[in-house]
Amino acid sequence: MVINLCAIFQLSQFFYCVKIKTMNTSAKYEILKTFYGYDSFRDGQEALIDHLLAGQDVCGIMPTGAGKSLCYQVPGLVFDGITLVISPLISLMKDQVRALNQMGVHAAYLNSSLTFGQYKKALAFAREGRYKIIYVAPERLLTDEFLDFAIHAPIDLVAVDEAHCVSQWGQDFRPSYLKIPEFLSKLAHRPAVGAFTATATRTVREDIIRMLELCDPFTTVTGFDRQNLYFEVRHDKDKYKGIVNYLIKHRDQSGVIYCATRKNVEEVCEKLLSDGFAATRYHAGLSDQERQANQEAFTYDEAPIMVATNAFGMGIDKSNVRFVLHYNMPKNMESYYQEAGRAGRDGAKADCILFYSGQDVITNQFFIESDRENEELTGEALEQVRHQDRERLKKMTYYCHTTDCLRDYMLRYFGEYGSSYCGNCSNCLQSFETIDITQIANDLIGCTLTSGMRFGINTILDTLRGSKNDKIRRSDLDENHFYGSCCAETIVFLRQVCNHLIQNDYLTVTDDQYPILRVKEKGLTFFAQTGDFRPVLTMKAARKDGGTEADVSNRNAAGTHSPSAKTGKSSAASASPFETLRSLRTAIARKNHVPPYLVFSDKTLEAMCVMLPQTKEEMLTVPGVGELKFQKYGKEFLQVCRELAREDEF
Ligand code: ADP
Ligand code: MG
C-alpha cells in the first residue's frame, strides 16, 4: 500500500523534479562557497544532496561531525520553497538556527522555548515566506496552528534530524517521531524526506526507513573513522591528578569530562572549581533550569570544561570541543565512540582519552546485573540481554588493555577494516616504537659465540654492559671483544632484545638447571652477514622516555593550536597568532551574543594563521569564510592577519 502511494506520488512529482534538477546542479557549489565558505563536499554529502534535489527520499547515516546538516540545508537553500527540519532538542535547534543566521540565511525555530506570542509571530513570518529553513519540534507537527501553516506552505523538503529517535531500540526514543508520516500525509503535496542519524545499527536503520515511511530512499552509510581524533587509554593510579595535568597543558581549550555516576560528576566538578578551572556540570539529577544554564555556559565558552554523565549528549553541537576525557570507562564501545566522537566536530585535531581503572569494570558489572530498565523482559530474554551486555563490557575492557592500534580495534568492532597502525593513538604513537636493534643483536650473538656458549643470559648481559662483578673477572669476560659494548643501554632493555631474539629463533636457552644461552642457526647466519648483505633487525618496544604527556602536548602545539608556518619568527613572549585570532573571536562573539565557534570554527582560525590572508580575495579562500561571514567579521580578522604578517617580517 505504502509502495503504491509512493509510486503515484513519484509520478506526480516527475515534471516538478526535472525542473529543479536542471536548475540546480551548479547552485549547490555556489551555496557551499558563498554561505559556508567551503570548496568541496565531504564524503557522502553530495550524493545525498543530489537525490534530495531530485525530489527523492534519502537516509544518511554518518558519524557525528561528518556534516549531516549541510546535506539538507544546501538543498533547502537551492529549493524555492521552505525546508522543515524536525529536530528533537531545543538546544540543537537554537544552535543550528543561530549558525544559519550567522551565515546570512533566514531561519527560525518553533518549539516550546517560545512564548505563545513569539510563536504566533514566528508562524506569521513563516506564512509570509520570510524563512527558508524552519526547525520544528516533533510535538508541534500535528497541532492546529502548525498544520494550518504547513498545509498552505510551499514545503519542498522535510529533514528528520537525529532520525534514530523514531526507534524504540535506541536510547533516545521519542514517541512523537512516530507521528511524522501522519503529518506528511496531511500536506497538500508530499515533499522529499531526508532522514539523518549517526546510529549505525541495522535494527535502528531499518526502523527509520519503515517507521518514517520513506519511499525507496537513497541510503548512504559513510565510514566511521574520524582521523582528526587522537585516542588514548591511560591507567593512572590517581585519575584526578591525570586529568588535572592534562587540563593544565590545555588551559584555554574546551572539552567534556564524562563520569559514570552523578556522584562522580559532583566530586570532579567541585574539585576542578576549587583548583581554579572554569568547569560546570550536567546530569539528570539537576533541575531543568540548571542544566540549561550550564549547557549555555559551556556553549559560550564561559565554562569551557563540562563535567557530565552520559545524559549530556545529543544536545552538544559545539564544534570546538577539543577533548573528551573519560573519568570512567563506559559500558560498551558504542557508548564510548558516541561520547568520544563529540570531540573535534570542526575537523581540527582533538583528543579522546579514557582513564581506566579496574573499579570501572566492577561498577559496570553491577549496572548490568541490577538494570531494571527493561521491566517487560522476563527470565530468559532478560538473561539474554544481560549476556550481550556482559560481552560488550568485555570488549570495552579489552580496548583498555590492548597493545594494538586503538583505532583499528574500534573500527574492527564496528565491522570496518582499519590498518593495524594509524599513527594517531597512544598505542601507535607512544607506548610502542619500532627500533633498530641490528647492532645490539650483533653484540649479543657475538658475545655469546666468542665466550664459548657457556654462560647464562645474566652473565652475557652483564658483560655487554661492562660490569665489574666477580663472575665476569673470574671468567675473563672483561677481556671479551664485546665487553662494555652496550654500556649505554639498560639491563631491562637488553633483556627485551634478548627475549626478542629468542622468540625469533636467533638464540635459545637450554633446559638445564642453569640455563645456558646458545646461538641458533639463524643467529649464526645473521652474525656472518656483513655490510649490505646484513638485514636490518627491528623490534617494537615501549618508548624509553615512557612519555605520554610530553608527546601529546608537543603534538598539539605543533599540529593544532599554534600553526606557525609563516609565523615562526614572532617573539616567544607575545601571544601566538592563534591566540591573537582567538581573542578577537571571543571579543566579537561577546559583542554579538553568539557562541565563539559560530563566528569562525577553530579549524578556520588555524587555516587563517597558516595562510595569513592579506586581501579580501585571499580571505575568501580560507575554508569556512563565506561571502556573508566575510561581510560580518571579515574586515576585523583581515586587519589582524595583516598585523600578524607584518610582525612576521621582522
Ligand atoms: P553532524 O550533524 O553530522 O554531526 P554537522 O552538520 O554539525 O555534523 O557538521 C560538523 C561540522 O562540519 C560543522 O562545523 C560544519 O560546518 C563542518 N562541515 C560540514 N560540511 C563540510 C564540508 N563540506 N567542508 C568542510 N567542513 C564541513
Ligand atoms: Mg547533526
Side-chain angles (χ1 to χ4, degrees):
M1 182 60 182
V2 172
I3 294 179
N4 280 344
L5 280 179
C6 285
I8 294 165
F9 148 75
Q10 282 183 343
L11 203 64
S12 74
Q13 290 230 311
F14 182 70
F15 294 103
Y16 178 71
C17 296
V18 170
K19 192 186 91 197
I20 292 174
K21 208 171 180 178
T22 45
M23 191 172 75
N24 298 323
T25 355
S26 64
K28 63 183 177 195
Y29 291 111
E30 246 171 73
I31 286 168
L32 185 69
K33 185 72 196 156
T34 319
F35 287 96
Y36 297 85
Y38 301 137
D39 286 322
S40 54
F41 288 106
R42 285 192 187 153
D43 197 18
Q45 288 180 325
E46 194 165 6
L48 289 165
I49 290 172
D50 286 346
H51 281 85
L52 285 177
L53 285 176
Q56 289 162 9
D57 287 359
V58 305
C59 179
I61 296 162
M62 299 154 95
T64 306
K68 291 184 283 294
S69 330
L70 207 131
C71 298
Y72 54 79
Q73 289 172 355
V74 169
L77 292 171
V78 175
F79 285 137
D80 288 334
I82 294 173
T83 289
L84 283 187
V85 184
I86 300 167
S87 173
L89 289 180
I90 291 173
S91 57
L92 280 181
M93 290 190 225
K94 279 189 179 167
D95 198 76
Q96 302 243 340
V97 167
R98 257 188 314 224
L100 285 167
N101 289 335
Q102 285 301 304
M103 296 183 325
V105 175
H106 295 288
Y109 53 82
L110 301 171
N111 58 38
S112 60
S113 74
L114 302 179
T115 62
F116 188 61
Q118 288 170 324
Y119 183 70
K120 282 202 106 150
K121 198 165 165 191
L123 261 187
F125 282 167
R127 278 205 184 86
E128 289 168 22
R130 292 212 199 177
Y131 306 123
K132 286 292 294 171
I133 300 181
I134 299 172
Y135 282 74
V136 59
E139 294 79 15
R140 297 267 146 177
L141 293 174
L142 292 176
T143 60
D144 290 342
E145 302 93 8
F146 187 78
L147 260 185
D148 184 53
F149 151 71
I151 289 170
H152 300 102
I155 296 171
D156 284 329
L157 169 60
V158 171
V160 185
D161 206 2
E162 312 291 350
H164 60 277
C165 291
V166 78
S167 169
Q168 306 193 30
W169 297 105
Q171 48 182 328
D172 304 315
F173 174 54
R174 290 284 290 265
S176 47
Y177 263 60
L178 297 171
K179 304 270 189 208
I180 293 174
E182 189 183 339
F183 167 74
L184 292 172
S185 72
K186 291 191 191 288
L187 297 179
H189 150 113
R190 188 189 182 277
V193 178
F196 299 88
T197 180
T199 308
T201 64
R202 197 186 189 83
T203 355
V204 172
R205 199 189 314 168
E206 285 168 1
D207 266 7
I208 289 174
I209 294 177
R210 196 165 45 90
M211 314 281 240
L212 292 178
E213 295 178 16
L214 299 184
C215 298
D216 189 19
F218 168 77
T219 303
T220 281
V221 185
T222 61
F224 267 64
D225 188 12
R226 301 261 316 276
Q227 291 178 359
N228 62 318
L229 300 186
Y230 162 79
F231 290 98
E232 179 172 349
V233 176
R234 296 179 47 153
H235 296 247
D236 297 33
K237 271 223 174 72
D238 184 343
K239 294 183 184 197
Y240 180 75
K241 204 165 146 201
I243 285 191
V244 165
N245 282 341
Y246 180 90
L247 295 178
I248 289 172
K249 287 186 175 146
H250 300 82
R251 267 282 174 200
D252 296 315
Q253 297 181 5
S254 175
V256 184
I257 302 171
Y258 275 111
C259 302
T261 62
R262 296 176 191 182
K263 191 163 154 265
N264 281 350
V265 169
E266 300 285 339
E267 281 169 12
V268 172
C269 185
E270 208 158 289
K271 275 202 224 163
L272 286 177
L273 285 171
S274 69
D275 284 337
F277 293 97
T280 184
R281 57 185 186 165
Y282 193 105
H283 60 68
L286 302 174
S287 68
D288 283 355
Q289 243 169 351
E290 180 175 354
R291 271 186 300 180
Q292 202 178 330
N294 293 354
Q295 179 162 344
E296 289 273 301
F298 175 66
T299 306
Y300 282 82
D301 281 342
E302 279 150 23
I305 300 169
M306 172 59 89
V307 189
T309 60
N310 61 4
F312 188 59
M314 273 197 311
I316 320 165
D317 236 10
K318 189 173 193 231
S319 81
N320 65 334
V321 173
R322 291 271 70 83
F323 57 83
V324 171
L325 309 183
H326 275 79
Y327 185 76
N328 300 107
M329 179 185 77
K331 62 180 189 289
N332 55 41
M333 293 295 296
E334 285 87 348
S335 309
Y336 181 62
Y337 200 58
Q338 195 175 47
E339 287 159 20
R342 290 178 181 133
R345 294 168 81 98
D346 53 10
K349 281 186 185 297
D351 293 337
C352 308
I353 305 179
L354 197 167
F355 289 76
Y356 170 86
S357 82
Q359 180 58 41
D360 296 337
V361 183
I362 298 168
T363 311
N364 277 307
Q365 273 164 348
F366 174 78
F367 282 150
I368 292 174
E369 303 313 325
S370 62
D371 187 9
R372 291 273 164 268
E373 241 173 57
N374 286 313
E375 273 175 355
E376 70 271 32
L377 289 183
T378 49
E380 206 177 314
L382 181 65
E383 187 42 43
Q384 203 174 346
V385 167
R386 284 190 177 154
H387 174 70
Q388 270 174 9
D389 287 349
R390 281 182 216 119
E391 288 302 307
R392 293 202 289 180
L393 175 60
K394 254 191 226 163
K395 299 221 165 107
M396 182 74 243
T397 313
Y398 293 158
Y399 173 81
C400 297
H401 290 287
T402 182
T403 52
D404 293 344
C405 169
L406 293 177
R407 188 181 312 272
D408 183 44
Y409 183 94
M410 249 177 304
L411 291 177
R412 269 190 284 125
Y413 182 86
F414 292 113
E416 287 182 35
Y417 296 99
S419 80
S420 57
Y421 178 88
C422 75
N424 195 22
C425 74
S426 51
N427 284 357
C428 285
L429 274 185
Q430 293 150 25
S431 320
F432 291 89
E433 59 184 347
T434 304
I435 45 170
D436 183 342
I437 54 163
T438 315
Q439 189 57 45
I440 297 174
N442 176 77
D443 295 1
L444 239 168
I445 294 171
C447 185
T448 312
L449 275 176
T450 53
S451 59
M453 298 207 270
R454 291 181 290 130
F455 301 101
I457 292 177
N458 288 343
T459 310
I460 297 293
L461 298 187
D462 281 345
T463 309
L464 290 177
R465 294 195 70 238
S467 162
K468 294 189 171 68
N469 70 28
D470 267 3
K471 174 135 194 210
I472 301 282
R473 275 193 238 164
R474 264 190 284 119
S475 319
D476 292 336
L477 283 170
D478 48 358
E479 284 166 27
N480 184 286
H481 176 72
F482 297 96
Y483 178 76
S485 65
C486 298
C487 59
E489 308 295 346
T490 64
I491 190 86
V492 176
F493 176 63
L494 288 180
R495 189 178 291 281
Q496 276 173 4
V497 177
C498 189
N499 286 342
H500 179 81
L501 295 176
I502 293 168
Q503 271 167 17
N504 288 280
D505 281 334
Y506 291 84
L507 296 171
T508 185
V509 276
T510 61
D511 259 344
D512 306 324
Q513 191 189 355
Y514 300 106
I516 303 289
L517 189 62
R518 296 231 155 108
V519 180
K520 290 183 81 173
E521 195 162 336
K522 199 170 162 190
L524 285 174
T525 316
F526 167 79
F527 191 67
Q529 288 165 322
T530 51
D532 290 346
F533 297 104
R534 169 173 273 187
V536 173
L537 279 190
T538 60
M539 176 181 100
K540 275 210 155 203
R543 285 171 88 91
K544 284 186 215 154
D545 53 18
T548 52
E549 283 281 319
D551 290 342
V552 177
S553 59
N554 284 343
R555 185 176 51 79
N556 280 342
T560 314
H561 303 298
S562 327
S564 53
K566 282 194 185 177
T567 51
K569 288 176 231 155
S570 35
S571 76
S574 64
S576 74
F578 185 83
E579 291 309 324
T580 312
L581 290 175
R582 186 159 60 177
S583 309
L584 174 63
R585 179 178 72 175
T586 309
I588 291 181
R590 284 231 173 93
K591 204 167 68 191
N592 292 278
H593 306 288
V594 290
Y597 66 94
L598 286 187
V599 174
F600 285 126
S601 72
D602 280 6
K603 184 129 184 166
T604 298
L605 293 195
E606 279 173 23
M608 257 183 227
C609 289
V610 176
M611 295 161 76
L612 287 185
Q614 301 295 297
T615 61
K616 178 181 171 185
E617 287 65 39
E618 282 178 18
M619 186 59 109
L620 285 175
T621 64
V622 176
V625 185
E627 180 68 40
L628 292 141
K629 278 239 178 122
F630 178 83
Q631 278 169 24
K632 275 193 170 165
Y633 313 122
K635 286 201 190 86
E636 285 170 86
F637 279 90
L638 195 53
Q639 178 68 26
V640 171
C641 285
R642 285 186 184 139
E643 282 162 20
L644 286 171
R646 263 204 305 280
E647 242 174 61
D648 204 28
E649 280 161 17
F650 295 112

